[in-house]
Amino acid sequence: MENEVLKAIKNRRSTRKYKEKQISEEELQALLDAGIQAPSANNSQSWHFTVIQNRDMINFISDKSKEVMRESDNKSIVNVGKSAGNIFYNAPTLIILSGKKEVQSSLVDCSAAIENMLIAGESIGLGTVWVGFVRSFFTLTEEVKKLKLPDGYEPFYAVSVGYKEDDGVFGPSKRNREVINYIR
Ligand SMILES: Cc1cc2nc3c(=O)[nH]c(=O)nc-3n(C[C@H](O)[C@H](O)[C@H](O)COP(=O)(O)O)c2cc1C
């Protein structure tokens, strides 16, 4: 079967090279709305979205994340920390997803919102990548205050957003089909 939604799901790949040009406000709002439309346990809608479109702030978060990564016990994380690149791949927009601490399912709710945004992004021609490396930054309690989160929320992940310069530099991502069993 094929339709527009299935096409967007199949064609979406992580984008790791972006054009400098900022996305339009209409595109940004479409992404945020797609996130907000995600399912959540008990309809708790336990997410909060922080939109950062300030180059200095995006670079600051990347630099601080890498500083923390360089202290890791894991060699591959240390290597990312030492690399020259920006962990958000210089995307012009960053959306940080934070969850309500008192809601047990908030990480899952936020993940559903993120996936909606990634698929919506593909459907309107935007590149996105889900960024977990930013979790290093979130360990820096004092620095996290700069995100101006509402009280009672904790940051989980970031999504880089922009126009695609190139698809994932990691190359096309093969899918393992041997992950299904049927009882019928
Ligand atoms: C929880 C999570 C964290 C991720 N963190 C990063 C990250 O920090 N940097 C990155 O380049 N990609 C990150 N990714 C993207 C994955 O590497 C990517 O989705 C995977 O390799 C499959 O490729 P595709 O998205 O192109 O299909 C993350 C994905 C998930 C779900």
Side-chain angles (χ1 to χ4, degrees):
M1 267 181 87
E2 190 84 343
N3 68 16
E4 291 305 310
V5 176
L6 293 175
K7 246 188 264 171
I9 289 172
K10 275 187 205 160
N11 291 339
R12 181 213 59 79
R13 291 280 79 86
S14 296
T15 297
R16 297 188 175 90
K17 210 165 178 198
Y18 294 90
K19 294 189 193 301
E20 248 178 67
K21 186 174 187 266
Q22 187 55 274
I23 63 169
S24 72
E25 187 60 26
E26 195 185 6
E27 289 164 332
L28 173 65
Q29 294 305 323
L31 276 200
L32 294 168
D33 195 47
I36 286 168
Q37 297 298 338
S40 60
N42 292 314
N43 194 21
S44 59
Q45 302 177 41
S46 63
W47 41 62
H48 178 83
F49 303 74
T50 303
V51 178
I52 307 179
Q53 294 186 312
N54 176 298
R55 169 59 44 210
D56 290 342
M57 185 63 178
I58 294 173
N59 289 346
F60 173 78
I61 298 173
S62 172
D63 289 347
K64 285 283 171 194
S65 301
K66 286 167 66 182
E67 246 177 67
V68 175
M69 281 190 265
R70 288 199 286 273
E71 303 300 316
S72 170
D73 296 335
N74 179 321
K75 216 175 150 205
S76 61
I77 301 279
V78 172
N79 285 340
V80 177
K82 284 183 178 166
S83 69
N86 175 294
I87 67 162
F88 307 116
Y89 306 98
N90 299 309
T93 292
L94 198 65
I95 304 176
I96 293 179
L97 265 284
S98 303
K100 226 181 222 174
K101 287 181 190 167
E102 70 184 26
V103 175
Q104 226 183 357
S105 60
S106 63
L107 176 58
V108 182
D109 297 340
C110 286
S111 300
I114 291 173
E115 181 62 5
N116 262 17
M117 291 196 294
L118 303 190
I119 295 164
E122 173 64 29
S123 77
I124 58 174
L126 295 176
T128 57
V129 60
W130 185 329
V131 181
F133 288 142
V134 70
R135 293 175 71 80
S136 304
F137 176 78
F138 299 151
T139 63
L140 305 172
T141 317
E142 277 309 304
E143 305 294 0
V144 166
K145 288 182 184 158
K146 297 189 172 123
L147 299 178
K148 300 188 169 85
L149 296 180
D151 285 345
Y153 284 79
E154 60 178 318
F156 291 134
Y157 285 109
V159 178
S160 293
V161 186
Y163 298 120
K164 300 175 200 178
E165 183 72 71
D166 212 342
D167 275 331
V169 289
F170 295 176
S173 160
K174 287 210 184 91
R175 270 9 189 198
N176 172 18
R177 310 286 312 169
E178 307 301 314
V179 290
I180 304 166
N181 77 321
Y182 296 91
I183 299 171
R184 58 187 178 190

